[in-house]
Amino acid sequence: MPRELPTANELRLSFFASEKPDAIESARQLKQRYGDHSVDDCDVIVAVGGDGFMLDVLRTHMTCDKPIYGFNRGTVGFMMNDADIDGLSERIAESEPTTIHPLVMKATTITGEVKTAKAINEISLFRETRQSARIRISINGRVRMESLTCDGVLLATPAGSTAYNLSAHGPILPISAHMLALTPISAFRPRRWRGALLPHDAVVEFETLENEKRPISAVADNQEVRDVTHVEAREARDITMTLLFDRGQSLDERILSEQFDY
């Protein structure tokens, strides 16, 4: 369970801003009004920017055991809160926490190099050229799809299920669901396969077929590894991150509302 926050008057905040001018100026004003503490000394990290910057902050401070509050100076702001400078300490002190876990990707390249990365939203495989990708998919050591011909395939967390996964026609997952969404991107064969729902502790392996003719890259959120031959993806249940949302605007509520947005 996330630990209880101090009162608004006692709350110590640490501000980080994206490179956008609006975010930099907002962070300057926020620091001037509320003070700015180091990550070690703060109670809450405040990310000033958009969803992409929030992902960067979450990855950077993944193991620091400090809750993170998003102050929206981006475009969509699905993971952020309203950009209202007034009463920020009070809103944070009364905010609703959401616990999430990242995915861990271990990617092996054609040259045998092994690279690891963590993702908050999804791990994706994409074709690198005009040639379609061909990918074998195994779950917990058992081959479940011998060959998927496609533009790509992704594995999404509940927090990421409303992002690229939704655009690829994958299912929206409640934030409390102990599940992952496996979703094809423009599947050609089998044409009617729409993906699968997997338990959160599933170990998913992607093996690229004809990889010299059909090169494939693997991406953990925005961290890319090119020319992969094998990718293993799993949830890192030992890493817990806490996001804070203004009361009445929790991530659970946002994900539920997204399912009725038409």
Side-chain angles (χ1 to χ4, degrees):
M1 291 289 292
R3 59 173 177 265
E4 188 173 342
L5 293 175
T7 63
N9 291 334
E10 299 173 329
L11 201 59
R12 295 169 299 177
L13 306 176
S14 181
F15 293 95
F16 291 86
S18 72
E19 296 179 353
K20 292 184 177 180
D22 286 352
I24 293 172
E25 175 58 23
S26 291
R28 185 192 66 79
Q29 296 178 32
L30 290 164
K31 291 176 183 179
Q32 188 175 48
R33 183 176 299 192
Y34 299 102
D36 188 29
H37 297 265
S38 69
V39 171
D40 289 339
D41 294 332
C42 77
D43 301 302
V44 175
I45 295 170
V46 180
V48 184
D51 287 327
F53 182 66
M54 170 61 91
L55 294 178
D56 289 339
V57 172
L58 283 167
R59 279 192 297 270
T60 301
H61 302 286
M62 190 171 286
T63 59
C64 76
D65 196 30
K66 299 293 175 73
I68 299 177
Y69 179 94
F71 187 93
N72 188 24
R73 298 307 287 163
T75 304
V76 178
F78 190 80
M79 303 177 75
M80 315 301 281
N81 296 281
D82 292 340
D84 187 355
I85 291 178
D86 295 330
L88 180 66
S89 292
E90 288 76 13
R91 295 205 313 276
I92 293 178
E94 298 173 359
S95 61
E96 301 180 14
T98 295
T99 298
I100 62 173
H101 304 279
L103 296 173
V104 178
M105 175 180 79
K106 184 169 74 173
T108 304
T109 69
I110 287 176
T111 61
E113 186 177 5
V114 178
K115 298 185 178 181
T116 61
K118 295 182 178 66
I120 311 301
N121 279 351
E122 74 278 317
I123 291 171
S124 311
L125 277 72
F126 299 101
R127 64 186 177 99
E128 294 180 6
T129 69
R130 60 183 177 81
Q131 293 279 2
S132 60
R134 289 191 62 210
I135 302 169
R136 178 179 295 125
I137 302 174
S138 300
I139 311 296
N140 296 330
R142 178 178 174 184
V143 175
R144 291 292 182 176
M145 182 159 292
E146 190 62 44
S147 177
L148 171 66
T149 304
C150 56
D151 281 353
V153 63
L154 64 85
L155 183 70
T157 65
S161 67
T162 58
Y164 190 22
N165 172 71
L166 180 59
S167 298
H169 307 292
I172 294 177
L173 303 177
I175 197 66
S176 58
H178 296 303
M179 305 182 79
L180 302 172
L182 180 64
T183 302
I185 303 169
S186 301
F188 179 65
R189 290 287 187 275
R191 192 183 298 274
R192 299 185 185 279
W193 187 62
R194 293 293 181 263
L197 291 174
L198 306 177
H200 72 89
D201 57 354
V203 178
V204 184
E205 294 178 82
F206 304 99
E207 182 183 352
T208 65
L209 306 177
E210 301 178 62
N211 46 56
E212 291 189 3
K213 177 183 178 183
R214 305 171 186 271
I216 295 173
S217 64
V219 184
D221 284 343
N222 59 1
Q223 305 162 91
E224 183 181 25
V225 180
R226 295 182 69 82
D227 301 329
V228 298
T229 60
H230 182 272
V231 174
E232 179 185 287
R234 65 174 76 205
E235 186 184 66
R237 205 71 184 178
D238 58 322
I239 301 176
T240 299
M241 295 168 287
T242 301
L243 276 66
L244 301 177
F245 293 91
D246 290 340
R247 190 157 295 278
Q249 299 183 35
S250 68
L251 194 56
D252 293 279
E253 173 59 30
R254 295 176 189 211
I255 289 176
L256 182 61
S257 296
E258 192 77 22
Q259 297 178 78
F260 294 91
D261 187 14
Y262 57 90

